[in-house]
Amino acid sequence: MMSYPDNKRIKLAAIQMVSGPYLSENLRAAAYWIAQAALSKAEIIALPEYFCFLGNTETQKQALIEEFGHGPIQQFLSEQAALHGVCLIGGTLGLQAPDTTRYYNSTLVFDPAGQCIARYDKIHLFSFQSETEHYDEAQTIQAGNLIPTVVDIQGFKVGLGICYDLRFPELFRAMGPIDLLVLPAAFTYTTGQAHWDLLLRARAIENQCYVLAPAQGGVHPNGRQTWGHTQLIDPWGVVIDNLTTGEGVVNGIIEKKRLSEVRSGLPALTHRRFV
């Protein structure tokens, strides 16, 4: 039986954006929504995948790639975390890979002092083709190492994933047990409409953890349409808060008591036979 003697609680916020091709505009929008989330007393705030850029060409994106530890996007995230005294999970940004023709799609976590305390490079690279859409991230993105990333935030074990990782449950099993999964995303409208909500709830239920999924949600200047539906889900699969489309903030409280109730009542994590 997994039990928590205390009932530690913490307020979270996930930001939904409709990012475009101009870094300065995206950072202004992110700063506004971070401030709104901080006003709601959120202690952990998460941005969506590609919060800083969703543009027209790979050439534009390449111009914004940073070396780890240096660059205006990382500086922005550090300053925002320190300004508001929050733990900021910085969506994703491009970090330089050893192969200079590619980059890592990376999530960085900053503590309330503005220090980077965790990094996760996206492992699973999205590929999808239909009559009207074509995506192949492996053309420009370098897959991260096959190492699950878990960071302790105020006593909660927080696992990190990015977008397409959602379809690979073995990644999150390898982390566990975790208390919270944070999954920044920019799901396409097509795949999101079919699978997003189902997959998020499944990951919460099977891992008996909270899931916080900040997403891109709307029609972007480059014509791409993302699914949105940023949400916070509890360990029983109950959606605590959800934003379907457009920019805004989803928030709610996670508590160890709820984790204990679910895991004690249905101790599935102790019944595993395959590892």
Side-chain angles (χ1 to χ4, degrees):
M1 178 184 298
M2 300 175 187
S3 63
Y4 296 98
D6 64 305
N7 186 26
K8 186 172 181 62
R9 306 166 82 242
I10 191 168
K11 188 168 187 180
L12 313 178
I15 293 169
Q16 185 160 289
M17 295 179 64
V18 187
S19 299
Y22 300 108
L23 176 63
S24 59
E25 292 182 7
N26 296 327
L27 295 187
R28 278 196 296 270
Y32 172 80
W33 291 114
I34 291 169
Q36 294 304 303
L39 284 173
S40 75
K41 307 301 183 183
E43 298 175 71
I44 300 175
I45 300 173
L47 290 161
E49 185 180 27
Y50 298 127
F51 83 96
C52 53
F53 179 82
L54 235 171
N56 299 313
T57 68
E58 282 299 319
T59 301
Q60 291 175 316
K61 189 181 292 185
Q62 291 278 355
L64 298 177
I65 293 169
E66 298 183 355
E67 292 286 345
F68 179 51
H70 305 281
I73 300 171
Q74 292 171 83
Q75 181 178 354
F76 167 84
L77 294 169
S78 172
E79 290 174 350
Q80 289 292 309
L83 174 64
H84 297 290
V86 299
C87 180
L88 183 60
I89 300 174
T92 72
L93 72 157
L95 294 180
Q96 187 64 62
D99 177 354
T100 57
T101 66
R102 297 171 185 265
Y103 60 91
Y104 293 114
N105 188 18
S106 304
T107 294
L108 302 180
V109 181
F110 292 84
D111 70 12
Q115 298 298 310
C116 183
I117 59 171
R119 169 182 173 175
Y120 169 67
D121 300 327
K122 187 177 183 180
I123 292 172
H124 301 100
L125 302 183
F126 179 55
S127 177
F128 175 69
Q129 186 168 342
S130 69
E131 291 183 359
T132 58
E133 297 174 276
H134 175 73
Y135 303 95
D136 187 3
E137 290 185 334
Q139 294 297 313
T140 54
I141 298 175
Q142 175 68 49
N145 294 325
L146 299 176
I147 302 174
T149 301
V150 179
V151 58
D152 185 286
I153 301 177
Q154 296 195 32
F156 287 87
K157 291 179 64 178
V158 181
L160 301 178
I162 299 171
C163 200
Y164 192 49
D165 285 330
L166 178 59
R167 295 183 181 274
F168 302 89
E170 62 272 19
L171 171 62
F172 312 113
R173 281 298 202 199
M175 296 175 176
I178 54 174
D179 301 321
L180 170 68
L181 168 61
V182 180
L183 198 109
F187 251 58
T188 69
Y189 188 91
T190 303
T191 59
Q193 184 179 39
H195 303 142
W196 172 251
D197 294 66
L198 289 169
L199 290 169
L200 286 176
R201 293 186 65 220
R203 297 297 86 83
I205 292 165
E206 69 196 10
N207 292 292
Q208 297 185 320
C209 71
Y210 290 92
V211 172
L212 185 69
Q216 295 282 349
V219 179
H220 301 263
N222 65 1
R224 178 175 175 178
Q225 186 173 8
T226 46
W227 175 239
H229 291 75
T230 290
Q231 52 196 282
L232 173 62
I233 303 169
D234 90 346
W236 194 248
V238 176
V239 177
I240 297 171
D241 195 12
N242 176 55
L243 176 62
T244 56
T245 190
E247 296 193 333
V249 178
V250 160
N251 55 45
I253 291 171
I254 66 172
E255 54 182 352
K256 292 195 170 183
K257 180 181 178 182
R258 180 59 173 159
L259 288 160
S260 183
E261 288 173 348
V262 170
R263 294 175 180 181
S264 297
L266 179 62
L269 295 179
T270 68
H271 295 159
R272 292 179 60 202
R273 292 296 178 265
F274 294 94
V275 295

